[in-house]
């Protein structure tokens, strides 16, 4: 709950299942809403993994800079979703299904990069 309060955007409801909410909006065809919840989910998970420090007032570019020491693919996955989020949220562009799916389909790889390395 504390992490959700630090998100850069106010969510319409206080949710503990951001990914579930992203799926729900996707299935309803609300891709702009879906990307907002997907991006919020990614930020919260990166904060949990201590790869970023989620803090209201930070910019999306600041979060990307915090990922400089993370695997490059993690940064590019995050950047792709961030740009789609910004287009939908700030630019008021209508996000297409295919563009949302490009971001969503990267979740397995995203989760893989968050897993601690087994030595």
């Amino acid at each position: 709950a504390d992490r959700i309060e630090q998100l850069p955007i106010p969510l319409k409801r206080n949710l503990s299942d951001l990914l579930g909410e992203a799926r729900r909006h996707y299935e309803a065809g609300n891709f702009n809403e879906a990307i907002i919840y997907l991006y919020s989910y990614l930020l919260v998970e990166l904060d949990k993994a201590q790869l970023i420090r989620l803090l209201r007032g930070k910019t999306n570019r600041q979060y990307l800079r915090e990922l400089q020491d993370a695997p490059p693919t993690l940064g590019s996955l995050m950047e792709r979703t961030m740009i789609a989020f910004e287009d939908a949220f700030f630019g008021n562009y209508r996000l297409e299904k295919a563009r949302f799916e490009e971001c969503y389909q990267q979740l397995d790889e995203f989760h893989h990069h968050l897993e601690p390395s087994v030595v």
Side-chain angles (χ1 to χ4, degrees), residues 15 17-31 33-41 100 104 107:
L15 296 168
D17 185 11
L18 295 170
L19 189 55
E21 195 67 8
R23 282 189 204 115
R24 188 178 74 72
H25 282 288
Y26 167 75
E27 290 167 1
N30 303 325
F31 307 117
E33 287 293 314
I35 199 70
I36 290 168
Y37 286 98
L38 178 61
Y39 184 63
S40 297
Y41 170 79
F100 175 81
Y104 190 81
L107 273 176

Side-chain angles (χ1 to χ4, degrees), residues 86-102:
E86 288 179 344
D87 286 349
F89 188 77
F90 296 115
N92 294 316
Y93 293 107
R94 188 173 158 270
L95 196 67
E96 298 295 327
K97 178 181 181 179
R99 189 160 176 213
F100 175 81
E101 288 175 344
E102 282 178 16

